[in-house]
């Protein structure tokens, strides 16, 4: 079961959590190559964070998936998640780190 957890300093009252979670779920499913019915995503907003010495919008993510990540696939997954965060949370891809 691919699991994606995102933590961000973006204020929760300025975003539509459901919309973001649905977009993340679709992005993870398509980039990992697993059916969306098995994807789990979580979003934590309002987390005090600093990235590169600046408190501008940023995000940290973890993706757990048995047998579907690694190598070149990681670039596709990271790009798909970063795109969602940029579109939905205004987090620049250079201010997003995924583990």
């Amino acid at each position: 079961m691919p699991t994606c957890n995102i933590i961000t300093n973006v204020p929760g009252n300025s975003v539509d959590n459901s919309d973001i979670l649905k977009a993340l779920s679709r992005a993870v499913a398509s980039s990992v190559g697993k059916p969306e019915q098995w994807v789990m995503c979580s979003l934590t907003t309002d987390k005090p964070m600093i990235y590169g010495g600046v408190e501008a919008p940023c995000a940290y993510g973890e993706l757990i998936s048995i047998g579907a990540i690694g190598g070149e696939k990681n670039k596709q997954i990271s790009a798909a998640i970063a795109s969602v965060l940029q579109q939905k949370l205004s987090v620049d891809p250079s201010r997003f780190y995924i583990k």
Side-chain angles (χ1 to χ4, degrees):
M1 173 187 291
T3 303
C4 179
N5 302 308
I6 302 292
I7 301 169
T8 182
N9 61 350
V10 173
N13 63 356
S14 67
V15 299
D16 180 345
N17 287 328
S18 179
D19 186 46
I20 296 164
L21 288 169
K22 288 175 184 175
L24 281 170
S25 182
R26 286 189 302 270
V28 169
S30 66
S31 62
V32 172
K34 300 252 180 152
E36 191 174 2
Q37 71 184 28
W38 300 112
V39 174
M40 178 185 291
C41 296
S42 72
L43 176 66
T44 302
T45 57
D46 298 299
K47 185 76 169 177
M49 297 174 74
I50 192 166
Y51 190 145
V54 181
E55 293 182 73
C58 63
Y60 168 78
E62 292 183 339
L63 179 68
I64 304 158
S65 182
I66 296 173
I69 56 178
E72 286 299 310
K73 192 74 145 169
N74 286 357
K75 292 178 185 177
Q76 296 170 0
I77 295 165
S78 181
I81 294 171
S83 176
V84 171
L85 297 180
Q86 185 173 34
Q87 291 171 18
K88 304 292 184 182
L89 295 174
S90 299
V91 172
D92 188 274
S94 67
R95 297 194 46 80
F96 167 60
Y97 176 78
I98 188 164
K99 175 180 162 183

